[in-house]
Amino acid sequence: MLRVIQVGLGPLGRKMVQFIAERPRVKVVAAVDPAGGIAGRGLAELCELGGAAADSVAGVVVSADLPAALVAAASFGGADVAVLTTNSAVARVQHQIAELAAARLPIVSTCEELSYPWVAHCEEAAFIDEVCKEHGVACLGTGVNPGFLMDFLPAALTGLCKNVRAVTVRRIQDAAPRRVPFQQKIGAGLTPAAFREKVAEGSLRHVGLPESVHLLAAACGWELSRVEETIEPVMAEAEITGGYRPIAPGQAAGVEQWGRGFVAEPGGEVTGASREREVVTMQFRAAVDQPDPRDEVEIEGTPPIRSVIAGGVNGDIATCAVVLNMAPVVAVAPPGLHTMLDLPPATVGR
Amino acid sequence: MLRVIQVGLGPLGRKMVQFIAERPRVKVVAAVDPAGGIAGRGLAELCELGGAAADSVAGVVVSADLPAALVAAASFGGADVAVLTTNSAVARVQHQIAELAAARLPIVSTCEELSYPWVAHCEEAAFIDEVCKEHGVACLGTGVNPGFLMDFLPAALTGLCKNVRAVTVRRIQDAAPRRVPFQQKIGAGLTPAAFREKVAEGSLRHVGLPESVHLLAAACGWELSRVEETIEPVMAEAEITGGYRPIAPGQAAGVEQWGRGFVAEPGGEVTGASREREVVTMQFRAAVDQPDPRDEVEIEGTPPIRSVIAGGVNGDIATCAVVLNMAPVVAVAPPGLHTMLDLPPATVGR
């Protein structure tokens, strides 16, 4: 039985608790969230668990801080791993990680920037790595994206190749059948001006594309000279009616982001002052009534590989699943900060 | 620089040497094959290397046994890993592995049965595990199939799921564009009687399907009650002209094998004395002019996943690539016998 402390009980943390409660061989023994209206509540009620799922967390009350949660976990003989779902930014989770590590808890987190923090957040990464090694625990940031579809999966598929020249990854999502908050999050129905405003305030962007580019480059042995990220609205050309509300022509139907990684190369194209070649190309596109949704990996290599998951992978479910499936791996992994390249693969039945 | 001792210099071992010679950061420092006409020959000449590839193995002569190869490797400061490409049967490689382990060499092998030997060859597996632990080295059996497409890849894809009810894997290959020996190996052009004769003598069967079934079941947490394997010719209904020679109606165009894994289940179908349910289904089909060649994984789970590599993966290249990409992982892995579930994923640039 893997005993989990759930840290963070926003929508994602609550879903994580629901998933864990459905599964044998894993159990939430304590939970932490200092937020008003959450701390002090029964976990089963907060996470809307019923039946056997509710029974599995009987008596577990949300603690306001980690020391209290550790006391609660002690009545189950302690915890084996912490699941951390509090924030997308490494800078915001690093001290939470340090506190968990000091309690000798391995950590698996949905923090997007933590999936490959070694470039854009190298100071925080070094701090986390050091504190985890000091206390003898492992730490991993993962999820469906970043964490799996646009980084781990293409990286693993390069294992089939004797050489690779470039990799293109596309995650194309049709938002029409998705929850209203998802459609709102991708900017569906916004005017171009409102879309840009939300981008500027940071509430619209999918976080993790540069991290995925860096992880895939590391898997291919490429030292990137530059990483580029763009974000644009997907504009409706005609009226779109598949979503939770009609989208008029000229409004945004969703968002498109590109991540690109380049290597310096004598024979490459001239861009600015240097010659370089694009080796990693990632397209993230989520829009209402988007045709041909899919998760696609195209490897220009020997042999060439083109892998397609038609319809695409449901991210709401898969993020929790990936984290949950990695939890037993992280619980026994060597101390330090890892990426999905460093550990055995997540599988459903560990 | 990863220093390799190549053990076994049949067609696969020679291709492995060619791949290594093309790659930076890895180098063949010694080679072993006792066969007459091979031992004593220069590696570059034997493996038909030219230019820089030949230079990378300058002076390397095939040794007749491991002690001689170790002496040769010593002039490069020793070796980091052995690549073993001698036999498909665990019973035939176990003592070769013991000899390599005693020389403190980690081992990565193309031995098909070694990819998951814990069920069908559990005594040999225990022996290998013990001897590797005794000498502090890791051992892995891998390749494209078994090793990747029908086991590691579907296992890793279940990492996206909160639960999985069943998995179907299909490897459908069109033999028309493949080498003549491949077409011959799958029985193309044989009469049904000649086909069955080759099956009976063991020279036609793809080895590894039960091992793939067992690895995938382990990844899903299923204890199998039974594994079934079948082999049949793919019969030509009309004349087939795409191959190296015409195939008449009523002759074999290739081979089809099925592997199936079952779990005992109260509500399952009645088969013989017990109720059971098929949870793993694997189809391996290789035939001349086979339409829609592909590597396909279909996961019946939450969420459902259907992944297709259209055209399929070229196995000649990919087997060497997977082994070569896992070599640096195995070189530093913990002691003992591993499977692809136990180690970080192969990637092209490690």
Side-chain angles (χ1 to χ4, degrees):
Chain A
M1 182 66 74
L2 189 79
R3 296 160 303 177
V4 174
I5 293 187
Q6 173 63 41
V7 182
L9 287 163
L12 188 56
R14 296 180 203 191
K15 189 180 281 285
M16 200 71 74
V17 171
Q18 291 164 359
F19 276 41
I20 294 173
E22 285 177 24
R23 191 175 272 207
R25 298 199 297 270
V26 52
K27 179 181 174 64
V28 178
V29 294
V32 187
D33 198 316
I38 294 184
R41 285 171 70 181
L43 196 60
E45 172 265 324
L46 177 69
C47 300
E48 299 174 3
L49 304 180
D55 295 345
S56 77
V57 297
V60 178
V61 171
V62 181
S63 304
D65 55 31
L66 184 61
L70 294 172
V71 170
S75 67
F76 297 93
D80 303 299
V81 66
V83 173
L84 179 66
T85 57
T86 52
N87 205 281
S88 299
V90 171
R92 301 287 296 277
V93 300
Q94 61 177 333
H95 297 295
Q96 298 169 347
I97 290 172
E99 193 187 5
L100 292 163
R104 302 205 178 278
L105 282 170
I107 299 118
V108 55
S109 176
T110 54
C111 172
E112 284 90 343
E113 288 180 358
L114 189 63
S115 62
Y116 199 90
W118 293 104
V119 181
H121 307 278
C122 56
E123 275 182 39
E124 292 90 341
F127 167 74
I128 292 168
D129 188 47
E130 196 182 311
V131 74
C132 286
K133 284 179 175 159
E134 183 188 338
H135 297 291
V137 297
C139 179
L140 172 73
T142 192
V144 71
N145 181 33
F148 202 109
L149 290 170
M150 301 190 79
D151 34 37
F152 167 78
L153 182 59
L157 288 170
T158 71
L160 290 162
C161 301
K162 67 187 271 198
N163 55 56
V164 172
R165 189 170 155 78
V167 183
T168 301
V169 186
R170 298 179 199 278
R171 178 152 168 78
I172 310 292
Q173 296 179 278
D174 178 13
R178 299 291 293 275
R179 297 171 298 120
V180 173
F182 181 84
Q183 296 186 30
Q184 290 170 330
K185 196 188 157 202
I186 63 171
L190 295 182
T191 63
F195 185 97
R196 295 203 181 281
E197 204 169 291
K198 278 191 180 289
V199 169
E201 76 188 27
S203 64
L204 200 146
R205 170 175 167 257
H206 157 70
V207 180
L209 216 46
E211 285 73 15
S212 293
V213 170
H214 284 299
L215 187 143
L216 182 52
C220 294
W222 293 324
E223 276 190 42
L224 298 181
S225 54
R226 187 164 66 88
V227 168
E228 187 182 283
E229 187 182 13
T230 64
I231 180 166
E232 296 291 337
V234 176
M235 301 303 292
E237 293 181 3
E239 192 186 39
I240 291 174
T241 57
Y244 79 103
R245 67 173 229 197
I247 300 171
Q251 290 181 337
V255 63
E256 179 162 84
Q257 293 177 235
W258 288 83
R260 302 173 193 278
F262 301 84
V263 290
E265 200 169 86
E269 284 180 41
V270 179
T271 58
S274 60
R275 286 180 184 269
E276 58 186 11
R277 184 166 67 83
E278 186 171 336
V279 288
V280 176
T281 307
M282 295 195 179
Q283 179 187 20
F284 173 87
R285 185 178 168 109
V288 175
D289 283 356
Q290 174 66 41
D292 194 16
R294 65 194 186 280
D295 284 294
E296 179 184 316
V297 176
E298 189 157 11
I299 299 174
E300 190 188 321
T302 310
I305 308 273
R306 184 166 174 271
S307 156
V308 177
I309 299 176
V313 175
N314 182 309
D316 289 334
I317 303 172
T319 277
C320 293
V322 171
V323 168
L324 185 49
N325 292 330
M326 283 307 285
V329 176
V330 172
V332 299
L337 173 58
H338 301 288
T339 76
M340 289 288 276
L341 292 182
D342 306 322
L343 298 175
T347 71
V348 76
R350 284 186 189 273
Chain B
M1 181 68 73
L2 188 79
R3 296 158 303 178
V4 174
I5 295 189
Q6 172 64 41
V7 182
L9 287 162
L12 188 56
R14 296 181 203 190
K15 189 178 281 283
M16 199 72 71
V17 171
Q18 291 165 358
F19 276 41
I20 295 172
E22 285 177 24
R23 193 175 271 209
R25 297 198 296 271
V26 51
K27 177 181 174 67
V28 177
V29 294
V32 187
D33 198 316
I38 293 185
R41 285 171 68 182
L43 196 62
E45 171 264 323
L46 177 69
C47 300
E48 298 174 4
L49 304 180
D55 294 345
S56 77
V57 297
V60 178
V61 171
V62 181
S63 303
D65 54 31
L66 184 61
L70 293 172
V71 170
S75 67
F76 295 94
D80 303 299
V81 66
V83 173
L84 179 66
T85 58
T86 53
N87 205 281
S88 299
V90 170
R92 302 287 298 275
V93 301
Q94 62 177 332
H95 298 294
Q96 298 169 346
I97 289 171
E99 192 186 7
L100 291 163
R104 302 203 179 276
L105 282 170
I107 301 120
V108 56
S109 175
T110 55
C111 173
E112 283 91 342
E113 289 180 355
L114 189 64
S115 63
Y116 199 89
W118 293 103
V119 181
H121 307 279
C122 56
E123 276 182 39
E124 293 89 341
F127 167 76
I128 292 168
D129 188 47
E130 196 183 310
V131 75
C132 286
K133 284 177 175 160
E134 183 188 337
H135 296 292
V137 296
C139 179
L140 173 73
T142 194
V144 70
N145 180 33
F148 202 108
L149 290 171
M150 301 189 80
D151 35 35
F152 166 78
L153 182 59
L157 288 171
T158 70
L160 290 163
C161 301
K162 67 186 269 198
N163 56 56
V164 173
R165 189 172 154 77
V167 183
T168 301
V169 186
R170 299 177 198 280
R171 177 151 168 80
I172 311 292
Q173 295 179 279
D174 178 13
R178 299 290 296 274
R179 295 170 300 120
V180 174
F182 181 83
Q183 296 187 31
Q184 290 170 330
K185 196 189 157 202
I186 62 168
L190 295 183
T191 63
F195 185 96
R196 295 199 183 284
E197 204 169 292
K198 278 191 180 290
V199 169
E201 75 186 31
S203 63
L204 200 145
R205 169 175 167 258
H206 158 69
V207 179
L209 216 46
E211 284 74 15
S212 293
V213 171
H214 284 299
L215 186 144
L216 182 52
C220 294
W222 293 323
E223 277 189 40
L224 298 181
S225 54
R226 189 164 64 87
V227 169
E228 190 183 281
E229 189 183 11
T230 64
I231 181 166
E232 297 290 336
V234 176
M235 302 301 295
E237 293 180 5
E239 192 183 43
I240 290 174
T241 56
Y244 80 102
R245 66 174 230 197
I247 299 171
Q251 291 183 337
V255 64
E256 178 162 84
Q257 294 176 234
W258 289 83
R260 299 174 195 278
F262 301 83
V263 290
E265 200 169 85
E269 284 180 42
V270 178
T271 58
S274 60
R275 286 180 184 269
E276 58 185 12
R277 186 166 65 84
E278 186 170 335
V279 288
V280 176
T281 307
M282 295 195 178
Q283 178 187 21
F284 173 88
R285 185 179 168 106
V288 176
D289 284 357
Q290 175 65 42
D292 194 15
R294 66 194 185 279
D295 285 294
E296 179 184 315
V297 176
E298 191 158 7
I299 299 176
E300 190 188 322
T302 309
I305 307 274
R306 184 167 173 271
S307 155
V308 177
I309 300 176
V313 175
N314 182 309
D316 290 335
I317 302 171
T319 276
C320 293
V322 172
V323 168
L324 184 49
N325 292 331
M326 283 307 286
V329 176
V330 172
V332 299
L337 173 58
H338 300 288
T339 74
M340 289 288 276
L341 293 182
D342 307 321
L343 299 175
T347 70
V348 76
R350 285 188 189 271

